[in-house]
Amino acid sequence: MRILLIIGGGIAAYKASELVRLIRREGGSVTCVLTEAGAHFVTPLTLAALSENAVHTTLWDLKNEVEMGHIQLSREADLVVVCPATADLMARMAAGIANDLATTLLLATDKPVLAAPAMNVRMWQHAATQANLATLRARGITVMDPDEGVMACGEFGPGRLPEPEAILAAIRAQLAPLPRPLTGRHVLITAGPTHEPIDPVRYIANRSSGRQGFALAAAAAQAGARVTLVAGPVSLPTPAGVDRIDVETAREMAAAVEAALPCDVAIMVAAVADWRAAEAAGQKRKKDGSGQIAPLQLVENPDILAGLGASAARPRLLIGFAAETEQVIPHAKAKLARKGADWIIANDVSGDVMGGTANTVHIVSASGVESLPRMDKADVAHAIMTKVADAFR
Ligand code: C5P
């Protein structure tokens, strides 16, 4: 294993020396890049001695830059490891800032990146850091969860650097060839709500966040599939390796799905609005002070899932979702038949599931009901994608 190790400026930087020692003991090679802040916590000499390699600290090393040293450093690595990934480094990575050697490398590299964060608990929990974390993960960077415990600053909570042995295990996992059981398959996913215009400023919508559908698209891409994600109006980052088509209304979504066919698997996760205004007003509807308003005429939207179920281009595996607030399983069973799907994945949305990050799902098919425990939506996505891959085996 050839590791390019980027060391950020935090008290946990001293543990990077231990990581270098462990990688060397495994027979791996390490090239260290130390940020200016990192050099306040660990010296280039320590890292050079442990890695038996030159340590790089500046982008302006003339000799190396004549040879495009920063590109060369990335070319020679199998994996880029950021340890510790400080709040500042994560922010610069998420924003695409390249103002030193470390961040220039991170912007220029085409190698997989593993980040081991370490920072004060409130810095970790800050909305800015959490947003950066989500962005980095959505781009395919593996960001480890920090450990929880007493920190150097005396506070308690998540933010401690994972132990060097745990980082080494994550490095090994990154370098092991990933199973890509859906290679050669086309997976089509819908996600998010739809917006149905009433007039130029108003629309009918629902509380769908799009998170479960986006997590499924990320999991399908990681499993090797070609993924088309037809997304309603949500502001989530596009998962790495996914073709995204943005739509607004149910009819636009139906047309985008139709245009993306054929596919091997279709997973209809979108909370498509059941109705739209029969005729959206060309001008803003006004109140006239009478206390009355002309009733809004609604018509039913096309059912995209049922349409696929009856289509000549029906995918081999057709999966629908069923968001229910009561009688979750009986309603899902009825939908399985009505929509001509192979599986209906039912979830109880009477709590905060539509906007939340966790989900409890029941997979209903002709062979029965399989209930998964409550998990993060990313884990639910991986569990479903494993089952999808099994169905094609
Ligand atoms: O009938 P219901 O809306 O509860 O069914 C949910 C399932 O049907 C989801 O998979 C959803 O994406 C899909 N659906 C659809 N087109 C609609 C309504 C629902 O594809 N117009």
Side-chain angles (χ1 to χ4, degrees), residues 14-52:
Y14 79 92
K15 288 194 191 166
S17 319
E18 175 63 5
L19 182 62
V20 173
R21 207 181 57 75
L22 291 177
I23 297 167
R24 294 290 295 140
R25 201 178 62 188
E26 295 260 310
S29 71
V30 190
T31 304
C32 294
V33 171
L34 197 51
T35 63
E36 195 185 335
H40 286 285
F41 293 92
V42 56
T43 70
L45 194 59
T46 308
L47 296 168
L50 288 171
S51 67
E52 299 173 72

Side-chain angles (χ1 to χ4, degrees), residues 118-129:
M119 66 196 72
N120 165 276
V121 55
R122 271 170 290 115
M123 290 170 86
W124 173 253
Q125 287 169 342
H126 196 286
T129 305

Side-chain angles (χ1 to χ4, degrees), residues 30-383:
V30 190
T31 304
C32 294
V33 171
L34 197 51
T35 63
E36 195 185 335
H40 286 285
F41 293 92
V42 56
T43 70
L45 194 59
T46 308
L47 296 168
L50 288 171
S51 67
E52 299 173 72
N53 228 333
V55 173
H56 303 269
T57 54
T58 170
L59 191 54
W60 310 119
D61 180 327
L62 195 60
K63 178 180 176 298
N64 280 345
E65 281 317 299
V66 169
E67 295 161 9
M68 286 308 230
H70 67 286
I71 304 290
Q72 194 58 28
L73 280 177
S74 149
R75 253 186 221 144
E76 287 167 357
D78 302 314
L79 177 70
V80 181
V81 177
V82 188
C83 167
T86 58
D88 170 69
L89 256 181
M90 285 175 61
R92 286 189 285 150
M93 285 165 80
I97 292 171
N99 58 356
D100 64 3
L101 177 58
T103 48
T104 303
L105 274 164
L106 285 161
L107 198 59
T109 189
D110 58 353
K111 297 297 166 65
V113 177
L114 169 74
M119 66 196 72
N120 165 276
V121 55
R122 271 170 290 115
M123 290 170 86
W124 173 253
Q125 287 169 342
H126 196 286
T129 305
Q130 289 299 309
N132 293 333
L133 171 71
T135 301
L136 296 176
R137 283 186 172 157
R139 285 191 198 137
I141 292 177
T142 306
V143 186
M144 296 179 72
D145 286 324
D147 278 356
E148 201 170 300
V150 180
M151 314 184 115
C153 53
E155 292 184 45
F156 184 88
R160 282 168 59 98
L161 187 76
E163 288 307 321
E165 286 80 6
I167 301 172
L168 182 65
I171 291 174
R172 281 201 212 101
Q174 281 285 301
L175 294 176
L178 276 178
R180 293 173 71 81
L182 291 176
T183 301
R185 307 283 179 195
H186 180 203
V187 178
L188 172 60
I189 297 174
T190 63
T194 63
H195 286 180
E196 309 296 332
I198 295 171
D199 65 23
V201 296
R202 303 184 180 93
Y203 56 82
I204 302 169
N206 58 64
R207 294 184 192 281
S208 169
S209 67
R211 284 205 185 99
Q212 187 63 77
F214 274 61
L216 276 159
Q222 281 165 27
R226 171 164 84 83
V227 184
T228 306
L229 172 64
V230 180
V234 289
S235 57
L236 293 173
T238 308
V242 167
D243 290 327
R244 172 177 180 169
I245 300 159
D246 284 313
V247 297
E248 201 163 305
T249 67
R251 285 187 295 176
E252 285 168 15
M253 187 172 273
V257 164
E258 171 93 31
L261 294 172
C263 66
D264 300 286
V265 186
I267 314 180
M268 302 290 102
V269 198
V272 185
D274 287 320
W275 307 283
R276 67 176 184 273
E279 220 167 313
Q283 302 298 334
K284 186 180 170 191
R285 284 169 63 122
K286 304 300 262 185
K287 52 182 179 290
D288 60 9
S290 70
Q292 305 283 318
I293 178 94
L296 183 62
Q297 290 293 329
L298 296 177
V299 290
E300 219 171 285
N301 268 327
D303 190 312
I304 305 167
L305 175 61
L308 279 179
S311 150
R314 185 191 192 281
R316 229 172 93 192
L317 186 59
L318 179 59
I319 305 173
F321 266 67
E324 303 292 353
T325 54
E326 45 139 19
Q327 299 211 48
V328 176
I329 308 279
H331 279 143
K333 283 185 175 160
K335 242 169 240 182
L336 192 66
R338 198 169 69 237
K339 306 229 183 192
D342 297 303
W343 308 347
I344 290 285
I345 302 181
N347 55 358
D348 188 336
V349 292
S350 49
D352 70 341
V353 165
M354 270 195 149
T357 55
N359 201 358
T360 313
V361 302
H362 312 274
I363 304 173
V364 180
S365 69
S367 50
V369 180
E370 184 186 338
S371 296
L372 303 183
R374 184 174 174 79
M375 291 188 277
D376 192 84
K377 285 178 176 173
D379 295 325
V380 170
H382 282 288

